[in-house]
Amino acid sequence: GEERIGEKIYTIDVKPGWKSGTKVSFRSQSGFPPITFILREKEHSFLTRKGDDLVWKCAVTPRQAEKGIRLKIPLPGGDLVDIVLSEDDLPVCNNQKKIVRGKGMPIKGGPEKGDLIIEFHISHQ
């Protein structure tokens, strides 16, 4: 006999908070065998994910570290975070961190989000 090959389209509804390595399985359907997909996160141009937190390594000049800086940070979901380093934050030291609560990745199963962590690195050019 003649073997017939068909096609099947699988739709995966990716939920907020799912991490790389999450497995999505489909049972055998209409003559197609069971199949499992393993999700992989797309890399972001300047943010990295650590658990539910987003980390940005922000390069600043020595002048910005001393005088202050205003940052507008676009997040993957479309939000824009506006940060102004006030006198309380100055001078910025190398490897200093500023944490913005609730601006990270969604936490699986709830409305909460992780944090946005800004790591300052003073560039001496």
Side-chain angles (χ1 to χ4, degrees):
E2 191 176 301
E3 187 176 329
R4 185 156 190 223
I5 299 175
E7 66 179 50
K8 170 106 176 105
I9 297 174
Y10 294 89
T11 302
I12 299 173
D13 183 21
V14 178
K15 306 283 185 215
W18 282 6
K19 295 177 174 71
S20 232
T22 299
K23 294 179 180 180
V24 180
S25 298
F26 292 89
R27 285 182 238 161
S28 175
Q29 299 176 10
S30 308
F32 289 91
I35 189 168
T36 299
F37 295 92
I38 301 172
L39 299 182
R40 186 179 58 141
E41 290 176 354
K42 182 179 175 184
E43 283 194 25
H44 192 271
S45 59
F46 62 88
L47 295 169
T48 53
R49 182 175 184 166
K50 284 191 179 174
D52 296 316
D53 297 332
L54 290 175
V55 179
W56 177 36
K57 294 181 190 256
C58 175
V60 295
T61 65
R63 178 173 166 75
Q64 290 171 321
E66 189 175 317
K67 300 284 185 191
I69 188 170
R70 181 178 188 161
L71 304 168
K72 289 181 183 252
I73 308 163
L75 299 178
D79 288 350
L80 189 67
V81 176
D82 197 3
I83 303 285
V84 177
L85 293 183
S86 65
E87 288 185 22
D88 296 341
D89 299 311
L90 300 176
V92 173
C93 300
N94 207 31
N95 295 319
Q96 181 176 329
K97 293 181 177 147
K98 177 147 182 92
I99 297 173
V100 184
R101 301 273 176 222
K103 291 296 181 182
M105 294 299 288
I107 297 173
K108 185 177 175 184
E112 298 87 15
K113 289 185 174 186
D115 299 328
L116 171 63
I117 301 169
I118 305 166
E119 293 179 0
F120 293 99
H121 298 279
I122 300 173
S123 58
H124 299 281
Q125 296 183 12

PDB file of all heavy atoms in Angstrom, residues 49-88:
ATOM      1  N   ARG A  49      17.338  37.375  31.947  1.00  0.00           N
ATOM      2  CA  ARG A  49      16.408  36.868  32.947  1.00  0.00           C
ATOM      3  C   ARG A  49      17.157  36.044  33.972  1.00  0.00           C
ATOM      4  O   ARG A  49      17.954  35.178  33.624  1.00  0.00           O
ATOM      5  CB  ARG A  49      15.340  36.016  32.258  1.00  0.00           C
ATOM      6  CG  ARG A  49      14.300  35.497  33.220  1.00  0.00           C
ATOM      7  CD  ARG A  49      13.203  34.754  32.480  1.00  0.00           C
ATOM      8  NE  ARG A  49      12.153  34.343  33.401  1.00  0.00           N
ATOM      9  CZ  ARG A  49      10.966  33.928  33.033  1.00  0.00           C
ATOM     10  NH1 ARG A  49      10.659  33.850  31.753  1.00  0.00           N
ATOM     11  NH2 ARG A  49      10.074  33.580  33.924  1.00  0.00           N
ATOM     12  N   LYS A  50      16.886  36.321  35.258  1.00  0.00           N
ATOM     13  CA  LYS A  50      17.385  35.498  36.360  1.00  0.00           C
ATOM     14  C   LYS A  50      16.170  35.132  37.191  1.00  0.00           C
ATOM     15  O   LYS A  50      15.680  35.961  37.969  1.00  0.00           O
ATOM     16  CB  LYS A  50      18.407  36.270  37.204  1.00  0.00           C
ATOM     17  CG  LYS A  50      19.760  36.393  36.572  1.00  0.00           C
ATOM     18  CD  LYS A  50      20.788  36.928  37.534  1.00  0.00           C
ATOM     19  CE  LYS A  50      22.143  37.005  36.867  1.00  0.00           C
ATOM     20  NZ  LYS A  50      23.135  37.651  37.709  1.00  0.00           N
ATOM     21  N   GLY A  51      15.661  33.930  36.983  1.00  0.00           N
ATOM     22  CA  GLY A  51      14.422  33.524  37.656  1.00  0.00           C
ATOM     23  C   GLY A  51      13.284  34.394  37.143  1.00  0.00           C
ATOM     24  O   GLY A  51      13.019  34.431  35.950  1.00  0.00           O
ATOM     25  N   ASP A  52      12.624  35.106  38.042  1.00  0.00           N
ATOM     26  CA  ASP A  52      11.528  35.996  37.650  1.00  0.00           C
ATOM     27  C   ASP A  52      11.989  37.445  37.506  1.00  0.00           C
ATOM     28  O   ASP A  52      11.194  38.326  37.197  1.00  0.00           O
ATOM     29  CB  ASP A  52      10.392  35.914  38.681  1.00  0.00           C
ATOM     30  CG  ASP A  52       9.776  34.524  38.717  1.00  0.00           C
ATOM     31  OD1 ASP A  52       9.537  33.950  37.646  1.00  0.00           O
ATOM     32  OD2 ASP A  52       9.534  34.011  39.825  1.00  0.00           O
ATOM     33  N   ASP A  53      13.277  37.689  37.742  1.00  0.00           N
ATOM     34  CA  ASP A  53      13.818  39.047  37.659  1.00  0.00           C
ATOM     35  C   ASP A  53      14.433  39.308  36.292  1.00  0.00           C
ATOM     36  O   ASP A  53      14.893  38.389  35.611  1.00  0.00           O
ATOM     37  CB  ASP A  53      14.894  39.278  38.729  1.00  0.00           C
ATOM     38  CG  ASP A  53      14.341  39.178  40.146  1.00  0.00           C
ATOM     39  OD1 ASP A  53      13.135  39.451  40.343  1.00  0.00           O
ATOM     40  OD2 ASP A  53      15.115  38.822  41.048  1.00  0.00           O
ATOM     41  N   LEU A  54      14.446  40.586  35.903  1.00  0.00           N
ATOM     42  CA  LEU A  54      15.145  41.026  34.703  1.00  0.00           C
ATOM     43  C   LEU A  54      16.353  41.842  35.154  1.00  0.00           C
ATOM     44  O   LEU A  54      16.243  42.666  36.065  1.00  0.00           O
ATOM     45  CB  LEU A  54      14.236  41.900  33.834  1.00  0.00           C
ATOM     46  CG  LEU A  54      13.086  41.179  33.146  1.00  0.00           C
ATOM     47  CD1 LEU A  54      12.189  42.184  32.425  1.00  0.00           C
ATOM     48  CD2 LEU A  54      13.617  40.158  32.151  1.00  0.00           C
ATOM     49  N   VAL A  55      17.498  41.607  34.522  1.00  0.00           N
ATOM     50  CA  VAL A  55      18.731  42.297  34.892  1.00  0.00           C
ATOM     51  C   VAL A  55      19.238  43.086  33.688  1.00  0.00           C
ATOM     52  O   VAL A  55      19.292  42.575  32.574  1.00  0.00           O
ATOM     53  CB  VAL A  55      19.817  41.290  35.356  1.00  0.00           C
ATOM     54  CG1 VAL A  55      21.102  42.009  35.708  1.00  0.00           C
ATOM     55  CG2 VAL A  55      19.316  40.470  36.533  1.00  0.00           C
ATOM     56  N   TRP A  56      19.592  44.350  33.949  1.00  0.00           N
ATOM     57  CA  TRP A  56      20.177  45.188  32.916  1.00  0.00           C
ATOM     58  C   TRP A  56      21.507  45.708  33.418  1.00  0.00           C
ATOM     59  O   TRP A  56      21.581  46.337  34.472  1.00  0.00           O
ATOM     60  CB  TRP A  56      19.273  46.362  32.572  1.00  0.00           C
ATOM     61  CG  TRP A  56      19.856  47.311  31.557  1.00  0.00           C
ATOM     62  CD1 TRP A  56      20.635  46.993  30.485  1.00  0.00           C
ATOM     63  CD2 TRP A  56      19.703  48.730  31.526  1.00  0.00           C
ATOM     64  NE1 TRP A  56      20.975  48.125  29.779  1.00  0.00           N
ATOM     65  CE2 TRP A  56      20.401  49.212  30.399  1.00  0.00           C
ATOM     66  CE3 TRP A  56      19.038  49.639  32.332  1.00  0.00           C
ATOM     67  CZ2 TRP A  56      20.471  50.547  30.065  1.00  0.00           C
ATOM     68  CZ3 TRP A  56      19.099  50.981  31.989  1.00  0.00           C
ATOM     69  CH2 TRP A  56      19.797  51.423  30.873  1.00  0.00           C
ATOM     70  N   LYS A  57      22.573  45.434  32.669  1.00  0.00           N
ATOM     71  CA  LYS A  57      23.900  45.958  32.991  1.00  0.00           C
ATOM     72  C   LYS A  57      24.024  47.308  32.277  1.00  0.00           C
ATOM     73  O   LYS A  57      24.173  47.352  31.071  1.00  0.00           O
ATOM     74  CB  LYS A  57      24.986  44.985  32.548  1.00  0.00           C
ATOM     75  CG  LYS A  57      24.920  43.693  33.344  1.00  0.00           C
ATOM     76  CD  LYS A  57      26.005  42.727  32.926  1.00  0.00           C
ATOM     77  CE  LYS A  57      25.760  41.387  33.543  1.00  0.00           C
ATOM     78  NZ  LYS A  57      26.510  40.987  34.614  1.00  0.00           N
ATOM     79  N   CYS A  58      23.917  48.368  33.068  1.00  0.00           N
ATOM     80  CA  CYS A  58      23.848  49.731  32.545  1.00  0.00           C
ATOM     81  C   CYS A  58      25.216  50.406  32.650  1.00  0.00           C
ATOM     82  O   CYS A  58      25.729  50.609  33.751  1.00  0.00           O
ATOM     83  CB  CYS A  58      22.804  50.515  33.334  1.00  0.00           C
ATOM     84  SG  CYS A  58      22.702  52.246  32.890  1.00  0.00           S
ATOM     85  N   ALA A  59      25.787  50.752  31.497  1.00  0.00           N
ATOM     86  CA  ALA A  59      27.069  51.452  31.478  1.00  0.00           C
ATOM     87  C   ALA A  59      26.820  52.953  31.649  1.00  0.00           C
ATOM     88  O   ALA A  59      25.973  53.528  30.965  1.00  0.00           O
ATOM     89  CB  ALA A  59      27.800  51.180  30.171  1.00  0.00           C
ATOM     90  N   VAL A  60      27.525  53.573  32.600  1.00  0.00           N
ATOM     91  CA  VAL A  60      27.423  55.015  32.814  1.00  0.00           C
ATOM     92  C   VAL A  60      28.828  55.616  32.799  1.00  0.00           C
ATOM     93  O   VAL A  60      29.810  54.938  33.105  1.00  0.00           O
ATOM     94  CB  VAL A  60      26.715  55.364  34.155  1.00  0.00           C
ATOM     95  CG1 VAL A  60      25.272  54.914  34.142  1.00  0.00           C
ATOM     96  CG2 VAL A  60      27.432  54.767  35.348  1.00  0.00           C
ATOM     97  N   THR A  61      28.905  56.873  32.434  1.00  0.00           N
ATOM     98  CA  THR A  61      30.188  57.571  32.441  1.00  0.00           C
ATOM     99  C   THR A  61      30.491  58.020  33.876  1.00  0.00           C
ATOM    100  O   THR A  61      29.579  58.105  34.707  1.00  0.00           O
ATOM    101  CB  THR A  61      30.139  58.807  31.523  1.00  0.00           C
ATOM    102  OG1 THR A  61      29.210  59.737  32.071  1.00  0.00           O
ATOM    103  CG2 THR A  61      29.745  58.431  30.099  1.00  0.00           C
ATOM    104  N   PRO A  62      31.739  58.323  34.169  1.00  0.00           N
ATOM    105  CA  PRO A  62      32.056  58.838  35.509  1.00  0.00           C
ATOM    106  C   PRO A  62      31.250  60.097  35.842  1.00  0.00           C
ATOM    107  O   PRO A  62      30.814  60.286  36.973  1.00  0.00           O
ATOM    108  CB  PRO A  62      33.554  59.134  35.432  1.00  0.00           C
ATOM    109  CG  PRO A  62      34.066  58.170  34.400  1.00  0.00           C
ATOM    110  CD  PRO A  62      32.957  58.071  33.387  1.00  0.00           C
ATOM    111  N   ARG A  63      31.032  60.965  34.851  1.00  0.00           N
ATOM    112  CA  ARG A  63      30.235  62.187  35.078  1.00  0.00           C
ATOM    113  C   ARG A  63      28.794  61.830  35.458  1.00  0.00           C
ATOM    114  O   ARG A  63      28.227  62.411  36.381  1.00  0.00           O
ATOM    115  CB  ARG A  63      30.276  63.067  33.833  1.00  0.00           C
ATOM    116  CG  ARG A  63      29.435  64.328  33.972  1.00  0.00           C
ATOM    117  CD  ARG A  63      29.651  65.268  32.772  1.00  0.00           C
ATOM    118  NE  ARG A  63      28.649  66.312  32.704  1.00  0.00           N
ATOM    119  CZ  ARG A  63      28.592  67.367  33.488  1.00  0.00           C
ATOM    120  NH1 ARG A  63      29.491  67.533  34.441  1.00  0.00           N
ATOM    121  NH2 ARG A  63      27.654  68.279  33.343  1.00  0.00           N
ATOM    122  N   GLN A  64      28.179  60.887  34.727  1.00  0.00           N
ATOM    123  CA  GLN A  64      26.809  60.463  35.060  1.00  0.00           C
ATOM    124  C   GLN A  64      26.761  59.849  36.452  1.00  0.00           C
ATOM    125  O   GLN A  64      25.812  60.066  37.200  1.00  0.00           O
ATOM    126  CB  GLN A  64      26.302  59.452  34.020  1.00  0.00           C
ATOM    127  CG  GLN A  64      26.037  60.052  32.668  1.00  0.00           C
ATOM    128  CD  GLN A  64      25.761  58.985  31.619  1.00  0.00           C
ATOM    129  OE1 GLN A  64      26.396  57.913  31.607  1.00  0.00           O
ATOM    130  NE2 GLN A  64      24.822  59.260  30.733  1.00  0.00           N
ATOM    131  N   ALA A  65      27.784  59.082  36.802  1.00  0.00           N
ATOM    132  CA  ALA A  65      27.829  58.427  38.114  1.00  0.00           C
ATOM    133  C   ALA A  65      27.874  59.461  39.237  1.00  0.00           C
ATOM    134  O   ALA A  65      27.321  59.250  40.312  1.00  0.00           O
ATOM    135  CB  ALA A  65      29.034  57.495  38.204  1.00  0.00           C
ATOM    136  N   GLU A  66      28.505  60.594  38.963  1.00  0.00           N
ATOM    137  CA  GLU A  66      28.636  61.628  39.984  1.00  0.00           C
ATOM    138  C   GLU A  66      27.453  62.590  39.999  1.00  0.00           C
ATOM    139  O   GLU A  66      26.953  62.960  41.056  1.00  0.00           O
ATOM    140  CB  GLU A  66      29.923  62.406  39.743  1.00  0.00           C
ATOM    141  CG  GLU A  66      30.251  63.349  40.878  1.00  0.00           C
ATOM    142  CD  GLU A  66      31.580  64.029  40.680  1.00  0.00           C
ATOM    143  OE1 GLU A  66      32.546  63.347  40.278  1.00  0.00           O
ATOM    144  OE2 GLU A  66      31.646  65.238  40.917  1.00  0.00           O
ATOM    145  N   LYS A  67      26.986  62.991  38.824  1.00  0.00           N
ATOM    146  CA  LYS A  67      25.962  64.038  38.716  1.00  0.00           C
ATOM    147  C   LYS A  67      24.535  63.509  38.689  1.00  0.00           C
ATOM    148  O   LYS A  67      23.603  64.239  38.979  1.00  0.00           O
ATOM    149  CB  LYS A  67      26.187  64.867  37.442  1.00  0.00           C
ATOM    150  CG  LYS A  67      27.517  65.544  37.382  1.00  0.00           C
ATOM    151  CD  LYS A  67      27.541  66.749  38.280  1.00  0.00           C
ATOM    152  CE  LYS A  67      28.847  67.507  38.116  1.00  0.00           C
ATOM    153  NZ  LYS A  67      29.029  68.515  39.118  1.00  0.00           N
ATOM    154  N   GLY A  68      24.356  62.268  38.276  1.00  0.00           N
ATOM    155  CA  GLY A  68      23.005  61.716  38.185  1.00  0.00           C
ATOM    156  C   GLY A  68      22.625  61.403  36.755  1.00  0.00           C
ATOM    157  O   GLY A  68      23.283  61.842  35.804  1.00  0.00           O
ATOM    158  N   ILE A  69      21.557  60.679  36.606  1.00  0.00           N
ATOM    159  CA  ILE A  69      21.145  60.233  35.280  1.00  0.00           C
ATOM    160  C   ILE A  69      19.647  59.918  35.308  1.00  0.00           C
ATOM    161  O   ILE A  69      19.093  59.545  36.345  1.00  0.00           O
ATOM    162  CB  ILE A  69      21.959  58.984  34.839  1.00  0.00           C
ATOM    163  CG1 ILE A  69      21.686  58.631  33.387  1.00  0.00           C
ATOM    164  CG2 ILE A  69      21.708  57.816  35.752  1.00  0.00           C
ATOM    165  CD1 ILE A  69      22.626  57.576  32.834  1.00  0.00           C
ATOM    166  N   ARG A  70      19.021  60.121  34.172  1.00  0.00           N
ATOM    167  CA  ARG A  70      17.616  59.735  34.001  1.00  0.00           C
ATOM    168  C   ARG A  70      17.593  58.612  32.972  1.00  0.00           C
ATOM    169  O   ARG A  70      18.196  58.734  31.899  1.00  0.00           O
ATOM    170  CB  ARG A  70      16.794  60.913  33.513  1.00  0.00           C
ATOM    171  CG  ARG A  70      15.346  60.548  33.349  1.00  0.00           C
ATOM    172  CD  ARG A  70      14.519  61.735  32.916  1.00  0.00           C
ATOM    173  NE  ARG A  70      13.122  61.359  32.964  1.00  0.00           N
ATOM    174  CZ  ARG A  70      12.145  62.219  33.009  1.00  0.00           C
ATOM    175  NH1 ARG A  70      12.392  63.509  33.029  1.00  0.00           N
ATOM    176  NH2 ARG A  70      10.891  61.800  33.038  1.00  0.00           N
ATOM    177  N   LEU A  71      16.923  57.530  33.310  1.00  0.00           N
ATOM    178  CA  LEU A  71      16.855  56.363  32.431  1.00  0.00           C
ATOM    179  C   LEU A  71      15.416  56.096  32.033  1.00  0.00           C
ATOM    180  O   LEU A  71      14.514  56.160  32.873  1.00  0.00           O
ATOM    181  CB  LEU A  71      17.402  55.131  33.158  1.00  0.00           C
ATOM    182  CG  LEU A  71      18.816  55.227  33.719  1.00  0.00           C
ATOM    183  CD1 LEU A  71      19.095  54.054  34.645  1.00  0.00           C
ATOM    184  CD2 LEU A  71      19.828  55.276  32.597  1.00  0.00           C
ATOM    185  N   LYS A  72      15.215  55.790  30.766  1.00  0.00           N
ATOM    186  CA  LYS A  72      13.910  55.321  30.287  1.00  0.00           C
ATOM    187  C   LYS A  72      14.170  53.924  29.737  1.00  0.00           C
ATOM    188  O   LYS A  72      14.873  53.779  28.743  1.00  0.00           O
ATOM    189  CB  LYS A  72      13.348  56.241  29.216  1.00  0.00           C
ATOM    190  CG  LYS A  72      12.905  57.585  29.774  1.00  0.00           C
ATOM    191  CD  LYS A  72      12.330  58.451  28.677  1.00  0.00           C
ATOM    192  CE  LYS A  72      11.954  59.799  29.234  1.00  0.00           C
ATOM    193  NZ  LYS A  72      10.552  60.007  29.342  1.00  0.00           N
ATOM    194  N   ILE A  73      13.612  52.930  30.411  1.00  0.00           N
ATOM    195  CA  ILE A  73      13.925  51.540  30.084  1.00  0.00           C
ATOM    196  C   ILE A  73      12.687  50.855  29.507  1.00  0.00           C
ATOM    197  O   ILE A  73      11.692  50.652  30.217  1.00  0.00           O
ATOM    198  CB  ILE A  73      14.399  50.786  31.345  1.00  0.00           C
ATOM    199  CG1 ILE A  73      15.543  51.567  32.017  1.00  0.00           C
ATOM    200  CG2 ILE A  73      14.822  49.361  31.001  1.00  0.00           C
ATOM    201  CD1 ILE A  73      15.799  51.160  33.440  1.00  0.00           C
ATOM    202  N   PRO A  74      12.721  50.485  28.215  1.00  0.00           N
ATOM    203  CA  PRO A  74      11.594  49.759  27.635  1.00  0.00           C
ATOM    204  C   PRO A  74      11.638  48.289  28.065  1.00  0.00           C
ATOM    205  O   PRO A  74      12.679  47.647  27.992  1.00  0.00           O
ATOM    206  CB  PRO A  74      11.806  49.913  26.130  1.00  0.00           C
ATOM    207  CG  PRO A  74      13.268  50.177  25.966  1.00  0.00           C
ATOM    208  CD  PRO A  74      13.754  50.806  27.241  1.00  0.00           C
ATOM    209  N   LEU A  75      10.509  47.782  28.528  1.00  0.00           N
ATOM    210  CA  LEU A  75      10.420  46.394  28.976  1.00  0.00           C
ATOM    211  C   LEU A  75       9.784  45.526  27.902  1.00  0.00           C
ATOM    212  O   LEU A  75       9.073  46.026  27.022  1.00  0.00           O
ATOM    213  CB  LEU A  75       9.611  46.320  30.271  1.00  0.00           C
ATOM    214  CG  LEU A  75      10.196  47.101  31.456  1.00  0.00           C
ATOM    215  CD1 LEU A  75       9.286  46.995  32.669  1.00  0.00           C
ATOM    216  CD2 LEU A  75      11.593  46.614  31.791  1.00  0.00           C
ATOM    217  N   PRO A  76      10.001  44.205  27.962  1.00  0.00           N
ATOM    218  CA  PRO A  76       9.470  43.304  26.919  1.00  0.00           C
ATOM    219  C   PRO A  76       7.954  43.394  26.732  1.00  0.00           C
ATOM    220  O   PRO A  76       7.466  43.247  25.626  1.00  0.00           O
ATOM    221  CB  PRO A  76       9.871  41.910  27.406  1.00  0.00           C
ATOM    222  CG  PRO A  76      11.060  42.139  28.260  1.00  0.00           C
ATOM    223  CD  PRO A  76      10.845  43.476  28.911  1.00  0.00           C
ATOM    224  N   GLY A  77       7.201  43.671  27.789  1.00  0.00           N
ATOM    225  CA  GLY A  77       5.739  43.743  27.668  1.00  0.00           C
ATOM    226  C   GLY A  77       5.228  45.053  27.107  1.00  0.00           C
ATOM    227  O   GLY A  77       4.035  45.245  26.940  1.00  0.00           O
ATOM    228  N   GLY A  78       6.139  46.010  26.825  1.00  0.00           N
ATOM    229  CA  GLY A  78       5.735  47.280  26.262  1.00  0.00           C
ATOM    230  C   GLY A  78       5.758  48.436  27.252  1.00  0.00           C
ATOM    231  O   GLY A  78       5.665  49.588  26.859  1.00  0.00           O
ATOM    232  N   ASP A  79       5.859  48.140  28.556  1.00  0.00           N
ATOM    233  CA  ASP A  79       5.945  49.212  29.552  1.00  0.00           C
ATOM    234  C   ASP A  79       7.256  49.968  29.410  1.00  0.00           C
ATOM    235  O   ASP A  79       8.251  49.424  28.938  1.00  0.00           O
ATOM    236  CB  ASP A  79       5.884  48.654  30.983  1.00  0.00           C
ATOM    237  CG  ASP A  79       4.502  48.153  31.366  1.00  0.00           C
ATOM    238  OD1 ASP A  79       3.549  48.405  30.604  1.00  0.00           O
ATOM    239  OD2 ASP A  79       4.386  47.514  32.426  1.00  0.00           O
ATOM    240  N   LEU A  80       7.241  51.222  29.851  1.00  0.00           N
ATOM    241  CA  LEU A  80       8.444  52.041  29.878  1.00  0.00           C
ATOM    242  C   LEU A  80       8.674  52.449  31.330  1.00  0.00           C
ATOM    243  O   LEU A  80       7.812  53.044  31.956  1.00  0.00           O
ATOM    244  CB  LEU A  80       8.259  53.276  29.001  1.00  0.00           C
ATOM    245  CG  LEU A  80       9.490  54.133  28.756  1.00  0.00           C
ATOM    246  CD1 LEU A  80      10.517  53.376  27.916  1.00  0.00           C
ATOM    247  CD2 LEU A  80       9.097  55.416  28.045  1.00  0.00           C
ATOM    248  N   VAL A  81       9.846  52.086  31.865  1.00  0.00           N
ATOM    249  CA  VAL A  81      10.190  52.434  33.241  1.00  0.00           C
ATOM    250  C   VAL A  81      11.060  53.688  33.203  1.00  0.00           C
ATOM    251  O   VAL A  81      12.064  53.730  32.499  1.00  0.00           O
ATOM    252  CB  VAL A  81      10.942  51.277  33.937  1.00  0.00           C
ATOM    253  CG1 VAL A  81      11.379  51.684  35.326  1.00  0.00           C
ATOM    254  CG2 VAL A  81      10.067  50.043  34.010  1.00  0.00           C
ATOM    255  N   ASP A  82      10.641  54.703  33.947  1.00  0.00           N
ATOM    256  CA  ASP A  82      11.356  55.971  34.003  1.00  0.00           C
ATOM    257  C   ASP A  82      12.044  56.062  35.363  1.00  0.00           C
ATOM    258  O   ASP A  82      11.393  56.043  36.402  1.00  0.00           O
ATOM    259  CB  ASP A  82      10.341  57.110  33.831  1.00  0.00           C
ATOM    260  CG  ASP A  82      10.981  58.432  33.476  1.00  0.00           C
ATOM    261  OD1 ASP A  82      12.208  58.487  33.302  1.00  0.00           O
ATOM    262  OD2 ASP A  82      10.234  59.427  33.388  1.00  0.00           O
ATOM    263  N   ILE A  83      13.373  56.121  35.367  1.00  0.00           N
ATOM    264  CA  ILE A  83      14.156  56.138  36.600  1.00  0.00           C
ATOM    265  C   ILE A  83      14.975  57.424  36.637  1.00  0.00           C
ATOM    266  O   ILE A  83      15.642  57.764  35.666  1.00  0.00           O
ATOM    267  CB  ILE A  83      15.147  54.948  36.641  1.00  0.00           C
ATOM    268  CG1 ILE A  83      14.433  53.619  36.496  1.00  0.00           C
ATOM    269  CG2 ILE A  83      16.023  54.999  37.883  1.00  0.00           C
ATOM    270  CD1 ILE A  83      13.710  53.162  37.696  1.00  0.00           C
ATOM    271  N   VAL A  84      14.922  58.106  37.752  1.00  0.00           N
ATOM    272  CA  VAL A  84      15.787  59.264  37.969  1.00  0.00           C
ATOM    273  C   VAL A  84      16.614  58.961  39.206  1.00  0.00           C
ATOM    274  O   VAL A  84      16.069  58.675  40.274  1.00  0.00           O
ATOM    275  CB  VAL A  84      14.961  60.552  38.184  1.00  0.00           C
ATOM    276  CG1 VAL A  84      15.895  61.724  38.470  1.00  0.00           C
ATOM    277  CG2 VAL A  84      14.093  60.843  36.979  1.00  0.00           C
ATOM    278  N   LEU A  85      17.935  58.993  39.044  1.00  0.00           N
ATOM    279  CA  LEU A  85      18.798  58.787  40.204  1.00  0.00           C
ATOM    280  C   LEU A  85      18.906  60.112  40.949  1.00  0.00           C
ATOM    281  O   LEU A  85      19.401  61.095  40.418  1.00  0.00           O
ATOM    282  CB  LEU A  85      20.176  58.291  39.771  1.00  0.00           C
ATOM    283  CG  LEU A  85      20.205  56.900  39.153  1.00  0.00           C
ATOM    284  CD1 LEU A  85      21.623  56.493  38.833  1.00  0.00           C
ATOM    285  CD2 LEU A  85      19.574  55.882  40.066  1.00  0.00           C
ATOM    286  N   SER A  86      18.393  60.126  42.170  1.00  0.00           N
ATOM    287  CA  SER A  86      18.364  61.347  42.968  1.00  0.00           C
ATOM    288  C   SER A  86      19.650  61.476  43.772  1.00  0.00           C
ATOM    289  O   SER A  86      20.517  60.603  43.732  1.00  0.00           O
ATOM    290  CB  SER A  86      17.158  61.300  43.905  1.00  0.00           C
ATOM    291  OG  SER A  86      17.322  60.248  44.846  1.00  0.00           O
ATOM    292  N   GLU A  87      19.747  62.566  44.517  1.00  0.00           N
ATOM    293  CA  GLU A  87      20.949  62.805  45.328  1.00  0.00           C
ATOM    294  C   GLU A  87      21.198  61.672  46.316  1.00  0.00           C
ATOM    295  O   GLU A  87      22.336  61.394  46.659  1.00  0.00           O
ATOM    296  CB  GLU A  87      20.823  64.135  46.076  1.00  0.00           C
ATOM    297  CG  GLU A  87      20.945  65.324  45.159  1.00  0.00           C
ATOM    298  CD  GLU A  87      20.940  66.640  45.923  1.00  0.00           C
ATOM    299  OE1 GLU A  87      21.248  66.641  47.129  1.00  0.00           O
ATOM    300  OE2 GLU A  87      20.625  67.662  45.298  1.00  0.00           O
ATOM    301  N   ASP A  88      20.135  61.019  46.769  1.00  0.00           N
ATOM    302  CA  ASP A  88      20.282  59.895  47.703  1.00  0.00           C
ATOM    303  C   ASP A  88      21.026  58.721  47.063  1.00  0.00           C
ATOM    304  O   ASP A  88      21.620  57.916  47.759  1.00  0.00           O
ATOM    305  CB  ASP A  88      18.909  59.407  48.189  1.00  0.00           C
ATOM    306  CG  ASP A  88      18.171  60.465  48.994  1.00  0.00           C
ATOM    307  OD1 ASP A  88      18.825  61.417  49.477  1.00  0.00           O
ATOM    308  OD2 ASP A  88      16.948  60.333  49.136  1.00  0.00           O
TER     309      ASP A  88
END
